[in-house]
Amino acid sequence: MTDRVIQVENVGKRYRIRHGDGGHYTALRDVIANMIRRGFRPRDGGGRAADDEDFWALRNVSFNVDRGEVVGIIGRNGAGKSTMLKTLSRITEPTEGRLELGGRVASLLEVGTGFHPELTGRENIYLNGAILGMSRAEIKRKFDEIVAFAEVEKFLDMPVKRYSSGMYVRLAFAVAAHVEPEILIVDEVLAVGDAEFQKKCLGKMKEVSTGGRTVLFVSHNLVAVQSLCSRGLFLKSGKLQIDAEIKKAIDTYLGDGADAVGEIVWDNSATAPRDDAMRLSAVRVRSEGRVTSSVYLNRAVAIEIDYETLTTELSATVSIHLDIMGTCAFVGGARSSIHSRGMHRATCILPANLLNNGTYHVSVYLITDVTNLRVIQRDAISFDVHDAGREEYMGQIIGTVRPSLEWSLVSGGVLG
């Protein structure tokens, strides 16, 4: 028989967006004027101003979690992940639906939540521990363990406002992880940690889960999510898209491609990028045979360019520019060849383990006679490259490319 610790039934969270109240700064006279003005604003049947707007951060979300499960909640920015965790942490009440929690909850939703910047690290351990439900005796008993985990011994009596972001998050996570909750809720704590700290965090969360406690983990670091979690919830626009085994949930999320544009097709030849000799028809990204805007870095990527030559016996070629964060990763072009009049497709294969994590933009150039630039389509398409897992480091590796290089090691004896 399962031991259920979280029940979420048709939960929704609505926020009301008010329009027409002016700019960011409001003087006292403006507040009074707005109060009077709102008194005369037209109201709907529910007493709401007619120009107010409802925004549902969550809608009809239902799932259950059993004791000891480690569940990853994934989705793009604005999907409702943090709102879901805030309702589970009782920070905000749902507008509709019902949720039940079977045990003490420790939440780390933002770096240093509950910390006071003027207090020292030592004082904040006691303050934050108390906020998370620990008794003074419990905090005192675990104090040395918390400090050792956070690695801030030298700075314990310094106000935390002088801590670096890394020190801040180490201390915040250390306190939350040592509460010994039945349910640990963690939101993006790995975003600011270094490689060694990320390993410690993952190790601690695994230790928590193997002890029969439950972990809910939100992160954009899909490698960390897949490493830690056995199950995934994919949220999109406040709605639960899939509740499945973690790899299936991640694959569904990656295939969603909401932010990048993996294909563009010009059906109307009059509006397509063109000149009197060449016309661009389509640009797309394929991975594993399908058009997509999200790929894993350990899988090959094909960039297809469909174009038409409008004259016969034309010496033509295609070139692509790949950019990330405004930086050119590389330029690549096909060998020039004689084209007959009609449609053509050029395909560029980017090998696996070449590109780094991030969003890449593809610009396309159609060229004749080697140097005659005929058609330019900047930022024609874009695609996201996601980490497929490197156990030695869970974070973003710097650089525009990330090749998997062949290494050899010689030890002992005479090196030469």
Side-chain angles (χ1 to χ4, degrees):
M1 183 178 177
T2 58
D3 185 3
R4 189 152 292 164
V5 293
I6 298 175
Q7 283 186 280
V8 177
E9 295 181 6
N10 298 315
V11 163
K13 179 62 182 178
R14 180 185 62 203
Y15 293 98
R16 184 160 295 169
I17 303 173
R18 298 189 182 278
H19 297 289
D21 282 345
H24 298 291
Y25 173 75
T26 308
L28 177 60
R29 65 177 180 273
D30 298 320
V31 173
I32 296 171
N34 286 336
M35 290 173 63
I36 296 171
R37 191 181 302 117
R38 281 198 294 269
F40 293 100
R41 287 161 70 192
R43 305 273 162 173
D44 61 17
R48 188 183 67 168
D51 57 352
D52 285 353
E53 178 185 349
D54 286 342
F55 169 70
W56 288 91
L58 294 172
R59 199 73 194 265
N60 299 325
V61 176
S62 299
F63 62 89
N64 298 315
V65 181
D66 296 331
R67 189 175 304 280
E69 276 196 287
V70 185
V71 179
I73 302 178
I74 57 177
R76 301 182 189 276
N77 292 330
K81 306 184 300 296
S82 295
T83 303
M84 187 72 254
L85 296 192
K86 286 176 182 176
T87 60
L88 290 169
S89 302
R90 304 295 192 187
I91 292 173
T92 183
E93 288 295 317
T95 306
E96 62 183 19
R98 185 177 70 91
L99 58 88
E100 292 185 5
L101 302 174
R104 182 164 71 169
V105 178
S107 304
L108 187 56
L109 303 184
E110 294 178 11
V111 176
T113 301
F115 278 19
H116 193 295
E118 299 295 338
L119 298 181
T120 66
R122 184 187 305 274
E123 292 164 338
N124 270 297
I125 290 175
Y126 281 94
L127 173 64
N128 201 235
I131 290 172
L132 292 173
M134 298 171 74
S135 67
R136 183 174 180 84
E138 190 178 2
I139 298 171
K140 192 172 182 179
R141 176 167 53 85
K142 297 180 180 179
F143 185 87
D144 290 342
E145 190 178 349
I146 291 170
V147 172
F149 186 94
E151 300 176 0
V152 293
E153 295 93 334
K154 295 180 181 179
F155 311 99
L156 263 183
D157 297 307
M158 177 189 294
V160 297
K161 67 181 181 181
R162 297 197 179 100
Y163 281 18
S164 68
S165 60
M167 292 163 61
Y168 213 79
V169 74
R170 288 203 305 268
L171 189 59
F173 183 86
V175 176
H178 287 81
V179 173
E180 293 186 359
E182 281 79 19
I183 302 168
L184 177 63
I185 296 176
V186 183
D187 188 0
E188 283 293 7
V189 295
L190 300 183
V192 293
D194 57 25
E196 193 61 34
F197 177 65
Q198 290 172 11
K199 290 180 182 178
K200 287 178 70 171
C201 284
L202 290 171
K204 188 65 180 178
M205 285 191 279
K206 286 179 180 177
E207 180 186 319
V208 167
S209 63
T210 54
R213 286 167 282 171
T214 304
V215 179
L216 293 183
F217 181 40
V218 164
S219 179
H220 289 287
N221 188 330
L222 299 182
V223 178
V225 172
Q226 187 162 346
S227 170
L228 180 68
C229 305
S230 57
R231 177 179 159 206
L233 307 176
F234 168 33
L235 290 175
K236 179 181 178 182
S237 302
K239 296 182 179 180
L240 183 61
Q241 301 297 304
I242 188 171
D243 176 356
E245 181 270 330
I246 188 61
K247 188 177 185 308
K248 183 176 180 181
I250 289 175
D251 286 344
T252 303
Y253 165 52
L254 292 179
D256 186 61
D259 290 346
V261 180
E263 180 180 39
I264 183 170
V265 178
W266 290 275
D267 293 320
N268 187 337
S269 60
T271 59
R274 59 173 295 163
D275 74 348
D276 58 354
M278 302 184 76
R279 178 176 67 86
L280 188 61
S281 299
V283 186
R284 65 182 63 86
V285 174
R286 289 188 189 272
S287 182
E288 299 183 309
R290 63 185 178 89
V291 175
T292 181
S293 58
S294 293
V295 301
Y296 281 117
L297 62 80
N298 68 344
R299 297 172 190 171
V301 177
I303 298 176
E304 292 180 354
I305 300 102
D306 293 348
Y307 60 99
E308 184 178 4
T309 51
L310 306 175
T311 62
T312 190
E313 299 300 308
L314 191 67
S315 176
T317 189
V318 178
S319 176
I320 61 169
H321 290 205
L322 221 65
D323 297 280
I324 179 171
M325 297 291 287
T327 300
C328 181
F330 61 82
V331 175
R335 183 182 297 274
S336 182
S337 62
I338 301 299
H339 286 51
S340 58
R341 183 172 184 151
M343 293 298 302
H344 310 274
R345 172 173 294 172
T347 303
C348 176
I349 305 296
L350 307 182
N353 298 308
L354 172 65
L355 301 179
N356 201 358
N357 308 54
T359 300
Y360 289 81
H361 296 265
V362 181
S363 297
V364 178
Y365 299 78
L366 302 183
I367 305 165
T368 60
D369 300 319
V370 181
T371 59
N372 189 5
L373 195 57
R374 290 285 189 171
V375 178
I376 303 174
Q377 184 63 34
R378 292 188 173 90
D379 298 331
I381 57 171
S382 58
F383 61 99
D384 297 323
V385 177
H386 299 272
D387 208 326
R390 289 189 178 189
E391 295 181 357
E392 68 272 18
Y393 184 54
M394 296 295 179
Q396 174 71 36
I397 293 177
I398 63 172
T400 56
V401 293
R402 183 175 163 178
S404 180
L405 304 175
E406 185 176 335
W407 289 74
S408 65
L409 175 66
V410 178
S411 302
V414 178
L415 303 180

